[in-house]
Amino acid sequence: MNLYIGNLSRMVTEADLETIFEGLGHIVFARLAPLTEGREARGYAFVAVADEGQARVAVSAMNGKYLKGLRLIVRPVLDHARQARALRAHQAVGSREAGARLRLLKGGPQPLD
């Protein structure tokens, strides 16, 4: 199972990720997002863990922990079908309802239905 590791410092290396996640399960690989010429590091990586149980342990143990001054975001990577369903569900809420919730949070006027 693949894990997304976000909010990484530019100083983090693949070896750092392997060392950190190694204690939480068998690491298949750790890859930083590739750099593009003329740009800074992208700030995220992917770590492949041998099985789903170890991945859950890694997510709960590492999400929100600090590494080289930045708070990590660690979450499982959804397969394409699950990711598409999640995106459609999020979009189904609709901009009208989302806008009403935002206005409510900001204390603004509510629409008259």
Side-chain angles (χ1 to χ4, degrees):
M1 175 175 228
N2 289 330
L3 300 176
Y4 166 84
I5 316 300
N7 201 33
L8 289 175
S9 165
R10 289 180 291 177
M11 297 179 287
V12 173
T13 65
E14 288 176 358
D16 292 334
L17 292 172
E18 288 173 358
T19 301
I20 291 166
F21 284 91
E22 211 169 56
L24 302 170
H26 176 70
I27 302 301
V28 178
F29 68 83
R31 298 284 183 266
L32 289 170
L35 299 175
T36 55
E37 191 173 322
R39 291 190 170 180
E40 296 181 359
R42 294 189 183 207
Y44 68 94
F46 296 96
V47 173
V49 182
D51 69 41
E52 192 172 333
Q54 292 174 347
R56 286 187 190 131
V57 169
V59 169
S60 64
M62 296 304 297
N63 189 43
K65 300 295 184 200
Y66 285 87
L67 176 62
K68 297 194 178 188
L70 294 176
R71 191 176 207 169
L72 295 178
I73 299 167
V74 181
R75 63 177 181 240
V77 175
L78 301 177
D79 63 44
H80 293 293
R82 286 178 60 198
Q83 191 170 8
R85 282 193 305 271
L87 180 60
R88 282 193 303 273
H90 176 71
Q91 291 171 339
V93 171
S95 61
R96 182 170 178 251
E97 291 176 11
R101 283 195 305 264
L102 182 59
R103 285 189 297 276
L104 178 63
L105 291 172
K106 290 184 173 182
Q110 296 300 305
L112 300 172
D113 288 325

